[in-house]
Amino acid sequence: MTQTSTTDTLEAVLAIAIDAGARIMEIYGSADFGVTSKDDDSPLTQADLAAHRYILSSLEKLSPNYPVLSEEAANINWGTRKPWSRYWLVDPLDGTKEFIKRNGDFTVNIALIEGGYPVLGVVHAPALNTSYLAAEGLGAFKISENGRRAKITTRAVPAMPALVVSRSHKDEKLAKLLDAAPEHEAVSRGSSLKFCQVAEGTADLYPRTGPTSEWDTAAGQCVAEQAGAQVLRLPELTRLQYNQKESLLNPLFAVIGQPEYDWLPLLRTVA
């Protein structure tokens, strides 16, 4: 895509994410979320489904020739999706547990994948009225609650680095890593906002030792990478990639804000 067409596509996807967020917030304000359980016992609400339906129909209008893989319609067999070179990867409501807890840490995630990597991504947090967006060739941006749009970049690691960790998923590997880390501030966040904190320079490292799926990470990875971060799978320390295998589960990974800072000895403790 040209820079102009990339900009137009990014703005169109941002509008779709915001509109999906508005549908989520209608249900967020209701007394009953209609919570059920999926086969893996993870929660599903009417907000997940409403956002999914809206995003799917909107992306089909925006780019009829691009397939869409959404968390709420992920039963596409490997033989069908293996040849995909360009497709949309969507989590209509990332952080359903945070949505149910009403703590605001949930997002709408939409990413465009090309050649196995995210090249355009939007992360919209409707309860926070905040959006993050990025695309190759354009960089990464944050739209704050007041509507101000600013370019974001990762920061040089300070004397007291900040490690951002999952609000809902903690395990022995993460505990071991945090024990081995230099003196630091630990910050808990939900959903793909952890990627965005590294991208905007309010955190320096996001180690992920718990389970995630590809739709959980693609948009956040795009924002983080276009802001200057690295997103590396563990223990291989290679770039996190998409649609390369039958399973849609991610490996363990880490988001590194400043590649020049030597986090690698610490990250090797996860292996």
Side-chain angles (χ1 to χ4, degrees), residues 133-135 138-142 150-153 199 222-228:
L133 58 158
L138 299 180
F141 302 86
K142 176 182 180 180
K151 193 163 190 176
I152 55 174
T153 60
C222 185
V223 171
E225 289 182 338
Q226 296 307 313

Side-chain angles (χ1 to χ4, degrees), residues 6-269:
T6 300
T7 300
D8 291 344
T9 301
L10 185 59
E11 294 300 324
V13 174
L14 173 63
I16 291 169
I18 290 172
D19 287 346
R23 285 160 172 78
I24 290 170
M25 292 305 293
E26 288 178 8
I27 297 167
Y28 192 61
S30 67
D32 182 9
F33 295 155
V35 181
T36 58
S37 293
K38 301 181 190 178
D39 292 342
D40 62 359
D41 287 332
S42 61
L44 176 69
T45 71
Q46 290 303 312
D48 296 81
L49 297 174
H52 161 73
R53 288 190 288 264
Y54 177 76
I55 293 169
L56 187 65
S57 64
S58 299
L59 290 177
E60 287 174 346
K61 293 173 186 175
L62 177 66
S63 50
N65 297 324
Y66 293 4
V68 181
L69 178 61
S70 169
E71 178 179 12
E72 308 313 335
N75 57 341
I76 300 171
N77 67 59
W78 174 231
T80 298
R81 61 182 172 81
K82 185 178 180 180
W84 292 355
S85 59
R86 181 184 292 112
Y87 68 100
W88 295 106
L89 184 53
V90 175
D91 192 341
L93 202 173
D94 181 26
T96 301
K97 291 180 180 178
E98 316 308 330
F99 175 86
I100 294 170
K101 294 174 186 175
R102 297 183 187 268
N103 65 24
D105 269 13
F106 52 87
T107 59
V108 176
N109 300 343
I110 305 175
L112 179 63
I113 308 296
E114 288 188 359
Y117 298 104
V119 297
L120 182 150
V122 171
V123 175
H124 174 60
L128 307 177
N129 199 21
T130 300
S131 303
Y132 298 86
L133 58 158
E136 281 190 354
L138 299 180
F141 302 86
K142 176 182 180 180
I143 303 176
S144 302
E145 189 173 7
N146 61 9
R148 180 175 176 269
R149 183 183 300 215
K151 193 163 190 176
I152 55 174
T153 60
T154 59
R155 69 180 180 184
V157 178
M160 178 73 78
L163 275 62
V164 61
V165 298
S166 173
R167 189 187 291 274
S168 297
H169 300 279
K170 295 180 172 65
D171 55 34
E172 290 183 6
K173 286 186 176 182
L174 179 60
K176 180 181 176 183
L177 182 145
L178 294 177
D179 286 344
E183 188 176 3
H184 64 277
E185 175 190 5
V187 181
S188 296
R189 292 302 302 267
S191 72
S192 53
L193 291 171
K194 296 181 287 294
F195 284 90
C196 299
Q197 283 203 244
V198 176
E200 69 181 351
T202 56
D204 305 291
L205 179 70
Y206 164 33
R208 183 66 188 214
T209 57
T212 60
S213 296
E214 294 189 0
W215 47 76
D216 294 315
T217 58
Q221 178 173 348
C222 185
V223 171
E225 289 182 338
Q226 296 307 313
Q230 288 183 326
V231 182
L232 304 180
R233 58 186 293 162
L234 302 175
E236 297 87 349
L237 300 176
T238 55
R239 189 181 178 196
L240 188 62
Q241 201 170 7
Y242 296 84
N243 202 38
Q244 302 300 302
K245 60 190 188 315
E246 184 172 0
S247 172
L248 289 164
L249 292 175
N250 284 320
L252 307 185
F253 65 88
V255 183
I256 301 171
Q258 280 292 317
E260 294 79 11
Y261 188 89
D262 191 11
W263 289 112
L264 301 188
L266 175 64
L267 295 176
R268 290 191 183 103
T269 67

